[in-house]
Amino acid sequence: MEKTINGLTAAGAVILAAALGFGGTSAYFTYLREVRNRFTVGYNEITVTEEFDPPDEIIPGKDTSFFKKVQIQNTGTVPCYVRVRLEYSDSDMKQFCTNILGENRAPANEWESCIEAFSGGKWICGEDGWYYYREPVPVGGRTGLLLEQVEIHVPEEQEDEAKEFEILVYGESVQTMVHQAGPDGEQTAVEAADYREAWEQILRASSLEGGRI
């Protein structure tokens, strides 16, 4: 409440000075106000850019493949680190899926342990189940592909287990800057050493943390 009162008083002082014709004082306050308005707060924002070509149906005994190109674009105003989670609406169907990235392929259940090698080290799966992109994503830039294609094969003898399902993609981002205490105890923003430091700081300060990166 005190800040609100002071703010109103300061604004009133500017108006009063202008009304009384104190040009120099009025110009001074106006100049400060204009300079302060030039400072903007950067924000991080992302979009899941997904090319998805779903099959018409799953036929037991036959391979059904479709494109599902998953990557993240930075649509905010500052560089950021991103992480992605892949979820299956029906977890039982995951056993019948094979994920493909370029020339590399692996069962969906093993993708977590394969993605680092398949992506040339750019993606890594943490112990919390999230896929972390190690490189900062510049404004307007995109991550490399996390997934490119999915192949489904339900054996004929397991036909009764075939169900409709979805592969859900969740994305989150964090700025590349972290808070650091200076010699005087004041907090200042500095560039994070890597993706791990950026995420660990924000996860410690929030309820997002579900495990170790």
Side-chain angles (χ1 to χ4, degrees):
M1 185 65 181
E2 182 180 354
K3 291 184 178 179
T4 302
I5 294 175
N6 288 342
L8 291 174
T9 304
V14 177
I15 295 172
L16 177 61
L20 295 178
F22 298 124
T25 305
S26 176
Y28 174 73
F29 279 105
T30 302
Y31 174 74
L32 286 182
R33 187 171 60 219
E34 289 176 351
V35 169
R36 289 179 63 184
N37 286 345
R38 291 196 186 103
F39 289 92
T40 59
V41 178
Y43 64 93
N44 59 300
E45 181 180 78
I46 58 173
T47 299
V48 178
T49 60
E50 182 184 48
E51 291 184 34
F52 180 44
D53 180 26
D56 294 329
E57 61 180 340
I58 299 172
I59 303 176
K62 294 185 178 181
D63 292 336
T64 301
S65 61
F66 58 93
F67 285 105
K68 189 174 179 66
K69 298 181 179 181
V70 177
Q71 61 185 158
I72 304 295
Q73 181 175 10
N74 181 355
T75 55
T77 62
V78 293
C80 66
Y81 287 108
V82 304
R83 67 178 187 172
V84 172
R85 197 173 187 96
L86 299 178
E87 298 285 352
Y88 289 72
S89 60
D90 190 306
S91 58
D92 291 337
M93 289 299 294
K94 188 175 182 179
Q95 63 180 311
F96 302 122
C97 295
T98 296
N99 291 346
I100 302 170
L101 181 61
E103 299 298 320
N104 302 300
R105 54 192 293 129
N109 284 322
E110 300 175 12
W111 200 243
E112 294 90 341
S113 60
C114 297
I115 189 60
E116 184 176 4
F118 290 175
S119 66
K122 292 184 177 181
W123 286 101
I124 186 171
C125 188
E127 294 180 17
D128 54 7
W130 285 88
Y131 293 94
Y132 290 85
Y133 196 67
R134 284 174 158 168
E135 298 180 359
V137 184
V139 175
R142 298 187 182 192
T143 66
L145 288 169
L146 173 64
L147 181 63
E148 188 171 15
Q149 196 172 357
V150 176
E151 184 178 276
I152 306 172
H153 181 83
V154 180
E156 288 188 24
E157 61 272 19
Q158 293 178 268
E159 179 179 359
D160 293 342
E161 298 181 40
K163 306 172 188 176
E164 292 185 356
F165 73 102
E166 294 178 307
I167 302 176
L168 308 174
V169 180
Y170 300 95
E172 293 183 352
S173 64
V174 64
Q175 293 190 23
T176 58
M177 306 297 287
V178 294
H179 295 296
Q180 187 178 87
D184 55 0
E186 291 292 326
Q187 293 288 325
T188 184
V190 298
E191 195 75 26
D194 55 20
Y195 79 99
R196 189 183 299 274
E197 182 182 14
W199 278 109
E200 286 181 345
Q201 183 172 100
I202 193 67
L203 293 176
R204 281 197 304 268
S206 70
S207 59
L208 293 174
E209 190 165 14
R212 297 181 59 188
I213 294 176

